[in-house]
Amino acid sequence: MRIGVLTAGGDCPGLNAVIRSVVHRAVTHYGDEVIGFEDGYAGLLDGRYRPLDLNAVSGILARGGTILGSSRLERDRFRAACDNAKELIEKSGFDALVPIGGEGTLTAARMLHEAGVPVVGVPKTIDNDISSTDRTFGFDTAVGVATEAMDRLKTTAESHQRVMVVEVMGRHAGWIALESGMAGGAHGICLPERPFDPADLVKMVEERFSRGKKFAVICVAEGAHPAEGTMDYDKGEIDQFGHERFQGIGTALAYELERRLGKEARPVILGHVQRGGTPTAYDRVLATRFGWHAVEAVHRGDFGRMTALRGTNVEMVPLAEAVTQLKRVPEDRMREAESVF
Amino acid sequence: MRIGVLTAGGDCPGLNAVIRSVVHRAVTHYGDEVIGFEDGYAGLLDGRYRPLDLNAVSGILARGGTILGSSRLERDRFRAACDNAKELIEKSGFDALVPIGGEGTLTAARMLHEAGVPVVGVPKTIDNDISSTDRTFGFDTAVGVATEAMDRLKTTAESHQRVMVVEVMGRHAGWIALESGMAGGAHGICLPERPFDPADLVKMVEERFSRGKKFAVICVAEGAHPAEGTMDYDKGEIDQFGHERFQGIGTALAYELERRLGKEARPVILGHVQRGGTPTAYDRVLATRFGWHAVEAVHRGDFGRMTALRGTNVEMVPLAEAVTQLKRVPEDRMREAESVF
Amino acid sequence: MRIGVLTAGGDCPGLNAVIRSVVHRAVTHYGDEVIGFEDGYAGLLDGRYRPLDLNAVSGILARGGTILGSSRLERDRFRAACDNAKELIEKSGFDALVPIGGEGTLTAARMLHEAGVPVVGVPKTIDNDISSTDRTFGFDTAVGVATEAMDRLKTTAESHQRVMVVEVMGRHAGWIALESGMAGGAHGICLPERPFDPADLVKMVEERFSRGKKFAVICVAEGAHPAEGTMDYDKGEIDQFGHERFQGIGTALAYELERRLGKEARPVILGHVQRGGTPTAYDRVLATRFGWHAVEAVHRGDFGRMTALRGTNVEMVPLAEAVTQLKRVPEDRMREAESVF
Amino acid sequence: MRIGVLTAGGDCPGLNAVIRSVVHRAVTHYGDEVIGFEDGYAGLLDGRYRPLDLNAVSGILARGGTILGSSRLERDRFRAACDNAKELIEKSGFDALVPIGGEGTLTAARMLHEAGVPVVGVPKTIDNDISSTDRTFGFDTAVGVATEAMDRLKTTAESHQRVMVVEVMGRHAGWIALESGMAGGAHGICLPERPFDPADLVKMVEERFSRGKKFAVICVAEGAHPAEGTMDYDKGEIDQFGHERFQGIGTALAYELERRLGKEARPVILGHVQRGGTPTAYDRVLATRFGWHAVEAVHRGDFGRMTALRGTNVEMVPLAEAVTQLKRVPEDRMREAESVF
């Protein structure tokens, strides 16, 4: 068989581990040919690809990023190509396609599948917000980076008797904030799933200071927002250079707390360090397993589905099911976290 | 309520995170009193304990080891104490006991429960070999340490055109070897679950060298052993000082490979670094959740059970079920790993 | 003897290692008494201190922050106290004072010395900008954190074909930017010592893209600034909440490059993670040596001086000499760095 | 010009950073051609080399090992080649040679130089035992790895009330043991420079236990040895398989302490993890500077010398001076370390 692989969407530690695993299983076990499309779906549309043999994937297991490159989906061009799926397949001559990506990528994968392309998806997101899989690779690495940052910030906060507001990734779901907040011992966590009231945070900080704990660390997902009427917050602004600027919630909240508390509060925006670099062991293992199972699915003809972690097993679930609903942090997980504030 | 906590068995990253979580949930939410028995069951038998309030557990989330100490079970004394469980409870005046430990600890917990002590167990083992829970805390940290070591050893093996045999923990189950081997990109993995034939490893190394990959890393669980008749191996020996010595399988295998291959092969025994030090974010979160759920179980009167990870949920499972059978690496997990050798 | 210790100024990994070392050497070797003033010079002025014995410093070697706390110098009150140094000494009854801190702290130490207080200083700054010592502890940790961040950002920049502008600490001297830029493989470094022209960076990025290297990472010290007339830049601004806000040079430069290049450029502000958390081995060793030599100097009566690394030796240099001039990055160090862009 | 580069001797983090730096400076600044000899001096003798341009060294800064490979020196063949140096130079057509290596490599470099080959050496050793340079790259990484291991082992030692004997690298000089022992907070350090008496260690451990500190960590250089008459120790032995085996001093000392103390003592042999993998920021910077200065020396015609760190400067020192004497740990450095046991 000839299997095409592509990576699309944002950088995510573990992408290379999936590619490597697909190539090893396909080439060594089945004697397949594997080709890698360059720059995500763009390479598929253009017929830009290169052969991937064992040498091509040597030494990439621990490397961040993706050797295949990525790009944003050009929606219109993509839809047009779907209308002529046969031609798309013939251009590069593949028998099955394994797109590795997040919600957008998998939605596109589903469209391709419905248009007649034999597709097996592999879910990827550092945000851990894809339904139908217990976890996605990349998430553990992101949480690890954020936790290490919080470990470091705590000593500074304590030495300076200061409040630190750490903004972590997570636009629509708060998994990174939840788990790095728990692991980093944050004293408050703000998630997109549950609008927060700054007054609660003020109370928490004051209560800590009155107990002699003269510092606090608050972990905020970039998609968190204040409950209506609790705080004046409007993300968008135009900076002095005429450039449209966004003041993140972390920065806004730090200023708000400083004003209300009369104590120093500093924002730290972790940003892109959370999504790059070498994956944790957990993510390397999960990514490797996903790659293996994707090839098995291809050889079983199990198309229109994606790999998913369920308990300790990797199973195949319909693409349709996976992308209809975002996986958000449920209330009971928040309750567990609040207990150790 | 008055809740007693103890940690028993070997060091395991995350123990302190459980203790902290139990105290926070019990004290803050329920207004309980928590006491910590010192040095495992020994403290319980002796009535040696200290009160654990929020201050006592401040700053321990990220710290390895256990602030309560640990010790080996004195079986006879323990059995005798079980016969008079009422007295045991009265001595320290607790309403529920939360023992945190591995198979031995949980078996003892079950005996206590059957003798009438209200017990909620929390499983702990870096080996990940306790049935009924998808994962145990400590395991992720151990795998992380072993993986980082393998990342480092690879460059040395490559520069020196050498075979490295890395022995990791895992006496009865090969989970650490399996996952660190996969994550570290080992070219061979030997597990207790499946006796190995050194001839297979020799073949793999020679095949690699013939492809121009002039090095190999082999990951061996300390409990792995050669298939009968494939290799002369006897662990025990008496050294020149009259001291009984054990030659681990890692060392024995490295010598065996060197002899058969005529190429340098070096053993590296990772040892205790795998079980100490700060836990990964994953282990801190899991440990914290286990602590929370243990307190909930205590307040529901859900005794004779232990916390367990099932998918994304923490559930309670009977202690009886948890300790009857070791969780071993199944064949299909091995197959996944072999694919990327 | 009775030796007083205090830490002042910003958080810096290694402070606790100095304190521990002072206590060990003084107590174990000389049988001294050591007291620790709380919250920097504030504790000295108020006579707030606590005894520091071996137990008090147990387990702090690897911990970030300072167990003694820190605070900003209240200049007027400090000057007034200097006028009555004798009283200051009598209040707490110490024979020698070891202040650990940066330029401000050491300048104050010099004033105390001139007022008659027996002082031995220990220099501390993550910025490495204190004259008379080859390096200061804290610097290596800061560079390590920034380098690890750059390692991670590179894969993201590459996967997304993007320019990343990483702002690191260093208001007046660019040492952190210089060394983390070199170690992290940055393609451009901007230092306070040498105003930059954005046009040079634009040229470098375009040249890289034309060679097929479709990404770039630029490392900018927070104190770097554009050469006059090369870029419209004014740090101060008032945000929509009436809060005075500062747009850092990293953010400003990223926007500028994005506009000029027509390619995505993203700022990452590393911030306080650089100054907190566990020190590297290098910083622990240097801090420990400084503590040891400070005690030796006290017992030699070698006052008005501070510890300094000179080659492989720790020597004592006059406080006066140390604080008169900032150590800035010389041109030839810049030339070395530029070579590997 | 045409500059030849080679790496010889054991793996050492930073080798690739030197190669990269040489290529960047030579190619970009001087328009030189650079060739890399394969597998150390073997490649030089055989005329096996490959061109090194900017692409060839892209992405190797942070990678351990050496892209050029290494091998042991074949002394006789090397000596013979020296006798006909002209031919050696003509075979590969280079104008200058930059060998990167340890004592053996630099001694060979000196022979080449005396035979008429224009040589600029770059010193390399994780052991830090080369005279004339304050530090060598690789050392900081080795110390960092050993320190992290000791951080981890301490929690295990404490939880189990156990003595841990950690054997680190350093056959002839104890720098790694000294600095990782200080940074890891070891309670005893044994160096090759100073024979130890196990009775002193026994006393230290007993004194700790009597103070309630019921654990100890001892850091031992592999080349450390007991003072005559203090302990029965003979490294060599023949194991049960007829294989000649070496019982390291770490293992022997752990058994000895266990016997004398009647307490558990466990050896941990860190081994090759200390010499592989990604270099620390410090080592990357030093290696990069060495490469830069080597090229400058080549262009100045400053042959027969090697790069050396002196304070904050990189200077050139005669090869002759560098290799005549091993740099060993002086007594006063030991005294500093002992103070914090």
Side-chain angles (χ1 to χ4, degrees):
Chain A
M1 288 187 79
R2 186 170 157 108
I3 302 176
V5 182
L6 65 82
T7 53
D11 191 20
C12 180
L15 289 170
N16 283 327
V18 181
I19 298 168
R20 172 179 175 268
S21 179
V22 165
V23 170
H24 271 270
R25 183 65 179 170
V27 170
T28 312
H29 189 74
Y30 290 109
D32 293 339
E33 203 181 330
V34 180
I35 58 174
F37 290 104
E38 289 170 3
D39 303 330
Y41 286 114
L44 177 68
L45 301 189
D46 303 343
R48 269 190 297 119
Y49 61 86
R50 58 175 192 265
L52 294 176
D53 58 10
L54 294 186
N55 267 334
V57 297
S58 174
I60 69 170
L61 169 61
R63 235 187 284 163
T66 159
I67 58 165
L68 293 177
S70 182
S71 68
R72 291 211 187 112
L73 192 66
E74 300 162 272
R75 284 186 192 278
D76 293 342
R77 214 184 138 214
F78 181 78
R79 283 207 187 95
C82 281
D83 291 343
N84 207 340
K86 220 173 161 181
E87 196 183 288
L88 203 63
I89 294 174
E90 278 164 8
K91 188 162 24 177
S92 313
F94 59 85
D95 302 300
L97 183 70
V98 178
I100 311 165
E103 210 214 335
T105 305
L106 297 173
T107 303
R110 190 186 161 189
M111 288 169 63
L112 279 174
H113 173 66
E114 284 166 0
V117 179
V119 167
V120 171
V122 173
K124 165 236 80 160
T125 161
I126 60 161
D127 291 331
N128 198 36
D129 59 0
I130 293 181
S131 291
S132 314
T133 182
D134 285 357
R135 282 169 91 96
T136 46
F137 63 85
F139 172 61
D140 191 66
T141 304
V143 170
V145 169
T147 299
E148 204 195 304
M150 253 170 301
D151 282 352
R152 290 200 173 275
L153 291 168
K154 268 191 148 172
T155 76
T156 294
E158 192 168 6
S159 303
H160 292 246
Q161 309 206 342
R162 192 183 269 173
V163 176
M164 291 281 195
V165 178
V166 187
E167 186 186 298
V168 300
M169 285 190 163
R171 224 160 267 177
H172 307 293
W175 292 103
I176 294 178
L178 177 81
E179 299 223 343
S180 68
M182 284 178 85
H187 309 103
I189 299 177
C190 302
L191 308 182
E193 285 84 350
R194 184 210 261 184
F196 66 86
D197 183 344
D200 295 337
L201 296 166
V202 166
K203 203 176 132 194
M204 177 276 292
V205 174
E206 285 179 338
E207 192 270 336
R208 279 184 64 78
F209 272 73
S210 75
R211 276 195 295 132
K213 300 277 182 189
K214 295 187 181 304
F215 73 102
V217 174
I218 295 166
C219 181
V220 186
E222 60 180 332
H225 50 92
E228 229 191 292
T230 61
M231 174 180 153
D232 202 11
Y233 175 60
D234 176 15
K235 270 182 70 158
E237 61 178 304
I238 306 293
D239 73 11
Q240 78 212 83
F241 311 112
H243 215 105
E244 189 175 353
R245 279 265 303 291
F246 297 97
Q247 185 187 42
I249 183 63
T251 306
L253 179 56
Y255 291 145
E256 183 77 17
L257 292 178
E258 189 166 293
R259 198 163 52 193
R260 294 200 191 188
L261 285 161
K263 296 182 207 305
E264 264 192 327
R266 293 285 170 85
V268 176
I269 316 303
L270 290 188
H272 294 281
V273 287
Q274 295 164 83
R275 68 176 333 123
T278 194
T280 59
Y282 184 99
D283 282 339
R284 297 186 201 176
V285 170
L286 184 57
T288 300
R289 296 182 71 192
F290 275 6
W292 194 91
H293 283 274
V295 174
E296 294 301 295
V298 163
H299 278 272
R300 277 196 317 268
D302 195 5
F303 297 113
R305 287 147 78 93
M306 70 166 205
T307 56
L309 181 69
R310 296 279 177 93
T312 60
N313 295 322
V314 175
E315 301 178 354
M316 302 305 296
V317 298
L319 281 167
E321 189 186 303
V323 297
T324 41
Q325 211 191 333
L326 208 70
K327 185 174 67 177
R328 296 165 73 94
V329 178
E331 258 309 298
D332 62 321
R333 288 300 304 271
M334 263 308 286
R335 265 199 307 278
E336 290 170 19
E338 285 168 346
S339 149
V340 279
F341 283 170
Chain B
M1 287 188 77
R2 186 170 157 109
I3 302 177
V5 182
L6 65 83
T7 54
D11 191 20
C12 181
L15 288 170
N16 284 327
V18 181
I19 297 168
R20 172 179 175 268
S21 179
V22 165
V23 170
H24 270 269
R25 183 65 179 168
V27 170
T28 310
H29 188 74
Y30 290 108
D32 293 339
E33 202 181 331
V34 180
I35 59 174
F37 290 104
E38 288 170 3
D39 303 330
Y41 286 115
L44 177 69
L45 300 190
D46 303 343
R48 269 191 298 119
Y49 60 87
R50 59 175 190 266
L52 294 177
D53 59 10
L54 294 186
N55 266 334
V57 298
S58 174
I60 68 171
L61 169 61
R63 233 187 286 163
T66 160
I67 58 165
L68 293 177
S70 182
S71 68
R72 291 213 185 110
L73 192 66
E74 301 163 272
R75 284 185 191 280
D76 293 343
R77 215 183 137 214
F78 181 79
R79 282 205 186 95
C82 281
D83 291 344
N84 207 339
K86 222 172 159 181
E87 196 183 288
L88 203 60
I89 294 173
E90 279 163 7
K91 187 161 25 176
S92 314
F94 60 85
D95 302 300
L97 182 70
V98 179
I100 311 164
E103 210 214 334
T105 304
L106 297 173
T107 302
R110 190 185 161 191
M111 287 170 64
L112 279 175
H113 173 67
E114 284 166 0
V117 180
V119 168
V120 171
V122 173
K124 167 236 78 164
T125 159
I126 61 162
D127 291 332
N128 199 34
D129 59 0
I130 292 181
S131 291
S132 313
T133 182
D134 285 357
R135 282 169 91 96
T136 45
F137 63 84
F139 173 61
D140 192 65
T141 304
V143 170
V145 169
T147 299
E148 203 194 305
M150 253 169 301
D151 281 352
R152 291 200 171 274
L153 291 169
K154 268 192 148 170
T155 77
T156 295
E158 193 168 5
S159 302
H160 292 246
Q161 309 206 342
R162 195 184 266 172
V163 176
M164 292 281 196
V165 178
V166 186
E167 186 185 298
V168 300
M169 285 190 164
R171 223 161 269 177
H172 307 294
W175 292 103
I176 294 177
L178 177 80
E179 299 223 343
S180 68
M182 284 179 86
H187 309 103
I189 298 177
C190 301
L191 308 181
E193 285 84 352
R194 186 209 259 184
F196 65 88
D197 183 341
D200 294 337
L201 296 166
V202 166
K203 204 175 131 195
M204 177 276 292
V205 173
E206 284 178 341
E207 192 270 337
R208 279 183 64 79
F209 272 71
S210 75
R211 277 196 293 133
K213 299 278 182 189
K214 295 188 181 304
F215 72 101
V217 173
I218 294 165
C219 181
V220 186
E222 60 182 331
H225 51 90
E228 228 191 292
T230 62
M231 175 180 151
D232 203 10
Y233 175 59
D234 176 14
K235 272 181 68 156
E237 63 178 303
I238 306 294
D239 74 11
Q240 79 212 79
F241 311 110
H243 215 103
E244 189 174 353
R245 279 264 303 291
F246 298 97
Q247 184 186 44
I249 184 64
T251 307
L253 179 57
Y255 291 145
E256 182 77 16
L257 292 178
E258 189 165 292
R259 197 163 53 192
R260 293 198 191 189
L261 285 161
K263 296 181 207 305
E264 264 192 327
R266 293 285 171 85
V268 175
I269 315 303
L270 289 188
H272 293 282
V273 287
Q274 293 163 86
R275 68 175 336 123
T278 194
T280 59
Y282 185 99
D283 283 339
R284 296 186 201 176
V285 171
L286 184 57
T288 300
R289 297 182 72 192
F290 274 6
W292 193 91
H293 283 275
V295 173
E296 293 302 293
V298 162
H299 278 271
R300 277 196 317 268
D302 195 5
F303 297 112
R305 288 147 77 93
M306 70 167 205
T307 56
L309 182 70
R310 296 281 177 91
T312 60
N313 295 322
V314 176
E315 301 178 356
M316 302 305 297
V317 299
L319 280 168
E321 189 186 302
V323 298
T324 41
Q325 212 190 333
L326 208 68
K327 185 174 67 176
R328 296 165 73 93
V329 177
E331 257 309 299
D332 62 322
R333 288 300 305 270
M334 262 309 284
R335 264 199 307 277
E336 290 171 17
E338 284 168 346
S339 151
V340 278
F341 283 170
Chain C
M1 288 187 79
R2 185 171 157 108
I3 302 175
V5 181
L6 64 83
T7 53
D11 191 20
C12 180
L15 288 170
N16 283 328
V18 182
I19 298 169
R20 170 179 176 268
S21 179
V22 166
V23 171
H24 271 270
R25 184 65 180 170
V27 170
T28 311
H29 189 75
Y30 290 107
D32 292 338
E33 202 181 331
V34 180
I35 59 173
F37 290 103
E38 288 170 3
D39 303 330
Y41 285 114
L44 176 69
L45 301 190
D46 304 342
R48 269 190 297 119
Y49 61 87
R50 58 176 191 265
L52 294 177
D53 59 10
L54 294 186
N55 266 334
V57 297
S58 174
I60 68 171
L61 169 61
R63 234 187 284 165
T66 160
I67 58 165
L68 293 177
S70 182
S71 69
R72 290 213 186 110
L73 192 66
E74 300 162 272
R75 284 187 191 280
D76 294 342
R77 212 181 139 216
F78 182 79
R79 282 204 187 97
C82 282
D83 291 343
N84 207 339
K86 221 171 160 182
E87 196 183 288
L88 203 61
I89 294 173
E90 278 164 8
K91 185 157 33 173
S92 314
F94 59 87
D95 303 299
L97 183 69
V98 179
I100 311 164
E103 210 213 335
T105 305
L106 297 173
T107 302
R110 190 185 162 192
M111 288 169 63
L112 279 175
H113 173 68
E114 284 165 1
V117 180
V119 168
V120 171
V122 173
K124 165 237 81 160
T125 160
I126 62 162
D127 290 332
N128 198 35
D129 59 1
I130 292 181
S131 290
S132 313
T133 181
D134 285 357
R135 283 168 90 95
T136 45
F137 63 85
F139 173 61
D140 191 65
T141 304
V143 170
V145 169
T147 299
E148 204 194 305
M150 254 170 301
D151 281 353
R152 290 201 172 274
L153 290 168
K154 268 191 147 171
T155 76
T156 294
E158 193 168 7
S159 302
H160 292 246
Q161 309 205 342
R162 194 184 267 172
V163 176
M164 292 282 196
V165 178
V166 187
E167 185 186 299
V168 301
M169 286 189 162
R171 223 161 268 177
H172 308 293
W175 292 103
I176 294 178
L178 176 81
E179 299 223 343
S180 67
M182 285 179 85
H187 308 103
I189 298 177
C190 302
L191 307 182
E193 285 84 352
R194 184 210 261 185
F196 65 88
D197 183 342
D200 294 337
L201 296 167
V202 165
K203 204 174 131 195
M204 176 276 291
V205 173
E206 284 178 340
E207 192 270 336
R208 280 183 63 78
F209 273 71
S210 76
R211 278 195 294 132
K213 300 277 181 189
K214 296 186 181 303
F215 72 100
V217 173
I218 295 165
C219 182
V220 186
E222 60 181 333
H225 51 92
E228 228 190 293
T230 61
M231 175 180 151
D232 202 12
Y233 175 61
D234 177 14
K235 270 182 70 159
E237 63 178 302
I238 306 293
D239 74 10
Q240 78 213 82
F241 311 109
H243 215 104
E244 190 175 352
R245 280 264 304 290
F246 298 98
Q247 184 186 43
I249 184 63
T251 306
L253 179 56
Y255 291 145
E256 182 78 15
L257 292 177
E258 189 166 292
R259 198 163 52 192
R260 294 200 191 189
L261 286 161
K263 297 181 207 304
E264 264 193 326
R266 295 284 171 85
V268 176
I269 315 304
L270 289 188
H272 293 281
V273 288
Q274 294 163 85
R275 68 176 333 125
T278 195
T280 59
Y282 185 99
D283 282 339
R284 296 186 201 175
V285 170
L286 184 57
T288 300
R289 296 182 72 192
F290 274 6
W292 194 92
H293 283 274
V295 173
E296 294 302 294
V298 163
H299 278 272
R300 277 196 317 267
D302 195 5
F303 297 112
R305 288 147 77 92
M306 70 166 203
T307 57
L309 181 70
R310 295 280 177 95
T312 60
N313 295 323
V314 175
E315 302 178 354
M316 301 305 297
V317 298
L319 281 168
E321 187 185 304
V323 298
T324 41
Q325 210 189 336
L326 208 68
K327 185 174 67 176
R328 295 165 73 94
V329 177
E331 258 309 299
D332 62 322
R333 288 300 305 271
M334 261 310 283
R335 264 199 307 277
E336 290 171 18
E338 284 168 346
S339 150
V340 280
F341 283 170
Chain D
M1 288 187 78
R2 186 171 156 108
I3 302 176
V5 182
L6 64 83
T7 53
D11 191 21
C12 180
L15 288 170
N16 283 327
V18 181
I19 298 168
R20 171 179 175 269
S21 179
V22 166
V23 170
H24 271 268
R25 183 66 179 168
V27 170
T28 311
H29 188 75
Y30 290 108
D32 293 338
E33 202 182 331
V34 181
I35 59 174
F37 290 104
E38 288 170 4
D39 303 330
Y41 285 114
L44 177 68
L45 301 190
D46 303 343
R48 268 190 298 119
Y49 61 85
R50 58 174 191 268
L52 293 177
D53 59 10
L54 294 185
N55 267 333
V57 298
S58 173
I60 68 171
L61 169 61
R63 234 187 286 162
T66 160
I67 59 165
L68 293 176
S70 182
S71 68
R72 291 213 185 109
L73 192 65
E74 301 163 272
R75 285 187 190 279
D76 293 342
R77 215 184 136 213
F78 182 78
R79 284 205 186 96
C82 281
D83 291 344
N84 207 338
K86 221 172 161 183
E87 196 182 289
L88 203 60
I89 293 173
E90 278 164 8
K91 187 160 27 175
S92 314
F94 59 86
D95 303 301
L97 183 69
V98 179
I100 311 163
E103 209 213 335
T105 305
L106 296 173
T107 303
R110 190 185 162 192
M111 288 169 63
L112 279 174
H113 173 66
E114 284 166 0
V117 179
V119 167
V120 172
V122 173
K124 167 235 79 163
T125 159
I126 61 161
D127 291 332
N128 198 35
D129 59 1
I130 293 181
S131 291
S132 313
T133 183
D134 286 358
R135 283 168 91 95
T136 44
F137 63 85
F139 173 61
D140 191 65
T141 305
V143 170
V145 169
T147 299
E148 203 195 305
M150 253 170 301
D151 281 353
R152 290 200 172 275
L153 290 168
K154 268 190 148 172
T155 76
T156 295
E158 192 169 6
S159 302
H160 292 246
Q161 310 207 340
R162 194 185 266 172
V163 176
M164 291 282 196
V165 179
V166 186
E167 186 185 298
V168 300
M169 285 190 164
R171 223 160 268 177
H172 308 294
W175 291 103
I176 295 178
L178 177 80
E179 298 223 344
S180 67
M182 283 179 86
H187 309 104
I189 298 177
C190 302
L191 308 181
E193 285 85 349
R194 184 209 261 183
F196 65 87
D197 183 341
D200 294 338
L201 296 166
V202 165
K203 202 174 134 196
M204 177 276 292
V205 174
E206 284 179 339
E207 191 270 336
R208 279 183 63 80
F209 273 72
S210 76
R211 277 196 294 133
K213 298 277 183 191
K214 296 186 180 305
F215 71 100
V217 173
I218 295 164
C219 181
V220 186
E222 60 181 333
H225 50 91
E228 229 191 293
T230 61
M231 175 181 150
D232 202 11
Y233 175 59
D234 176 13
K235 270 182 70 156
E237 63 178 302
I238 306 293
D239 74 10
Q240 78 213 80
F241 311 110
H243 215 105
E244 191 174 352
R245 280 264 305 289
F246 298 97
Q247 184 186 43
I249 184 64
T251 306
L253 179 57
Y255 291 146
E256 183 77 17
L257 292 177
E258 189 166 294
R259 197 163 53 194
R260 293 200 192 187
L261 285 161
K263 296 182 208 303
E264 264 192 327
R266 294 284 171 85
V268 176
I269 316 303
L270 289 188
H272 293 281
V273 287
Q274 293 163 85
R275 69 175 333 123
T278 194
T280 58
Y282 184 99
D283 282 339
R284 296 186 201 176
V285 170
L286 184 57
T288 299
R289 298 182 72 192
F290 275 6
W292 193 93
H293 284 273
V295 173
E296 293 302 294
V298 163
H299 278 272
R300 278 195 316 267
D302 196 4
F303 297 112
R305 288 147 78 93
M306 70 167 205
T307 57
L309 182 69
R310 296 280 177 94
T312 60
N313 295 323
V314 176
E315 302 178 355
M316 301 306 296
V317 298
L319 281 168
E321 188 187 304
V323 298
T324 40
Q325 211 189 335
L326 207 68
K327 185 174 67 177
R328 297 165 72 94
V329 177
E331 257 309 299
D332 62 323
R333 288 300 305 271
M334 261 309 285
R335 264 199 307 278
E336 290 171 17
E338 284 168 346
S339 151
V340 279
F341 283 169

